[in-house]
Amino acid sequence: MYAKMFNRMDMNNNLKELSKELKREFGRNSKHEIVVVGGAAIVLKHDFRESSSDIDAIVSDGSSIKDAVRRTADRLGLSADWLNSDFKQSSSYSGQLVAVSKYYRTFNQVLDVRIVDDKYLIAMKLKSFRSYKNDQSDIIGLLQDSPFTYEEICSAVERLYGKDNGVKPEAWEFLRKYYSAEGIAYDQIRKEELNNKDILVEFDKNYENVLKEDNLDDILSILREKKRLI
């Protein structure tokens, strides 16, 4: 089953409602801040990505906002994790993300929302580089909207993750291909991502609890090869 997807209008409305909860509890002079990353950041800033299933964010005062997030979810009928910081447990997290974010909007005078700058969103997508999510198409879409040089992206990766950044060789190869004369088409990559996701969803229906974060790529590679040979 696919999760409910939020477009830009949905996200702005949900953040506005969150700010109302914060204002009720802490008063009009209170100040709270979140830094939005990932797909939600792209949806809020760019037209090529229409939606995301949640808002990944770094929360400045976690406990107080978490209670308000829960109340907002209850009031609007949202999933409990419509705004969460789970990505902090993933490889794409960096302690530098707040420093490379930019102001987006203030909601109801109490909730400041910042968004990670585009070249660092690209760096995050290179670090995660999942072929069954939006990572590859997001990289292309961001580069088409914000034409950074290859060197600027390399510098962004190094700032977030250091020289020994652990970015997969295939991610660097993908980036080099984009900058080459051959290039990469957004629509084709997005089609491949959706196909990969469908393959994994079907596998998961037949073999529950087999897919894990550390075996997804290997299983997907095997399944794609089997499908090619049919």
Side-chain angles (χ1 to χ4, degrees):
M1 180 180 295
Y2 291 96
K4 173 179 170 57
M5 304 299 285
F6 300 120
N7 60 29
R8 185 182 301 161
M9 184 180 297
D10 295 330
M11 289 182 187
N12 281 321
N13 181 67
N14 294 345
L15 291 169
K16 181 179 179 181
E17 294 303 314
L18 172 61
S19 71
K20 290 179 181 178
E21 291 290 342
L22 292 168
K23 198 170 188 177
R24 286 191 196 100
E25 182 173 358
F26 299 102
R28 62 186 299 173
N29 294 322
S30 62
K31 273 293 182 183
H32 311 268
E33 181 181 276
I34 64 172
V35 178
V36 178
V37 306
I42 295 170
V43 172
L44 288 173
K45 291 179 65 180
H46 297 273
D47 292 333
F48 72 85
R49 174 104 181 247
E50 294 183 353
S51 61
S52 179
S53 61
D54 61 2
I55 298 178
D56 291 322
I58 300 170
V59 179
S60 60
D61 49 353
S63 58
S64 61
I65 283 190
K66 283 179 181 177
D67 290 340
V69 168
R70 177 183 49 77
R71 292 195 301 272
T72 302
D74 291 343
R75 186 157 53 82
L76 299 182
L78 305 175
S79 170
D81 61 352
W82 71 271
L83 186 149
N84 65 81
S85 298
D86 293 348
F87 86 99
K88 292 180 75 173
Q89 308 305 316
S90 73
S91 64
S92 62
Y93 175 71
S94 165
Q96 292 293 313
L97 290 172
V98 175
V100 298
S101 65
K102 293 183 178 179
Y103 175 79
Y104 171 61
R105 280 181 64 178
T106 298
F107 292 86
N108 271 310
Q109 302 151 330
V110 299
L111 178 62
D112 290 339
V113 177
R114 299 178 64 83
I115 295 179
V116 168
D117 191 47
D118 285 350
K119 64 182 173 182
Y120 298 101
L121 289 174
I122 294 170
M124 293 181 73
K125 294 291 183 175
L126 285 168
K127 180 67 173 175
S128 52
F129 205 69
R130 298 158 297 184
S131 60
Y132 50 90
K133 291 280 192 178
N134 296 69
D135 292 345
Q136 296 178 16
S137 58
D138 281 345
I139 290 169
I140 296 173
L142 286 165
L143 285 170
Q144 289 176 342
D145 280 0
S146 307
F148 300 109
T149 66
Y150 179 84
E151 290 72 24
E152 286 176 313
I153 301 304
C154 291
S155 295
V157 170
E158 185 172 331
R159 177 166 182 183
L160 292 187
Y161 307 112
K163 290 185 177 180
D164 299 324
N165 47 70
V167 171
K168 299 174 184 176
E170 54 265 37
W172 289 120
E173 182 180 348
F174 178 87
L175 189 64
R176 285 191 291 269
K177 184 177 179 181
Y178 173 82
Y179 283 103
S180 72
E182 180 181 357
I184 305 175
Y186 176 90
D187 290 343
Q188 179 60 35
I189 289 298
R190 187 66 195 122
K191 182 179 178 180
E192 290 177 11
E193 289 172 334
L194 291 170
N195 183 54
N196 289 339
K197 182 177 180 179
D198 288 341
I199 291 171
L200 290 173
V201 167
E202 185 63 28
F203 178 85
D204 193 47
K205 286 180 183 177
N206 297 323
Y207 304 95
E208 292 184 12
N209 303 317
V210 173
L211 291 176
K212 308 292 181 185
E213 193 67 34
D214 59 357
N215 68 15
L216 274 167
D217 288 333
D218 290 339
I219 290 176
L220 178 59
S221 179
I222 294 169
L223 293 173
R224 286 184 62 179
E225 182 62 19
K226 284 184 177 180
K227 189 173 181 180
R228 188 183 69 81
L229 295 173
I230 293 175

